[in-house]
Amino acid sequence: MALWLLLGSALLSSGLCELVPEEELLYDSFEEGFIWGVATSAYQIEGGWDQDGKGLCNWDVWTENKTNEHVTDGSDGKVAADSYHKYKEDIALIHTLGLSVYRFSINWARILP
């Protein structure tokens, strides 16, 4: 999600794309006070896979097993979107988008190694 926020924010601020109010659902169907937000999933954005005592999680082991070709391109989440190091930038992007809610997850292997 952090990567999409970065990309979307960069495209909008550079003028390479713009939001066009073409779909009523996007602009007219939500009640006053509706709270907009974003959400992320730890393995997809966290990074910092071996820092601060984090243990291995099932995804670390599963993607590392290259002989079974679990992941077609061989990628893993060791760096991911690197929100572990770039969380302040992620929060700034959320603020820039005018959102007030951010649901994030933390890898359990970081809490209970």
Side-chain angles (χ1 to χ4, degrees), residues 67-101:
T67 59
N68 288 335
E69 299 179 5
H70 291 154
V71 182
T72 305
D73 67 359
S75 62
D76 56 41
K78 290 180 179 176
V79 177
D82 204 21
S83 192
Y84 187 79
H85 296 105
K86 298 179 179 181
Y87 68 93
K88 290 180 182 178
E89 294 171 44
D90 293 344
I91 293 168
L93 285 170
I94 292 165
H95 179 73
T96 299
L97 293 171
L99 303 173
S100 57
V101 177

Side-chain angles (χ1 to χ4, degrees), residues 30-50:
F30 295 92
E31 294 180 16
E32 178 100 19
F34 184 86
I35 300 173
W36 289 95
V38 292
T40 58
S41 174
Y43 191 75
Q44 296 168 346
I45 63 118
E46 194 173 83
W49 77 281
D50 64 348

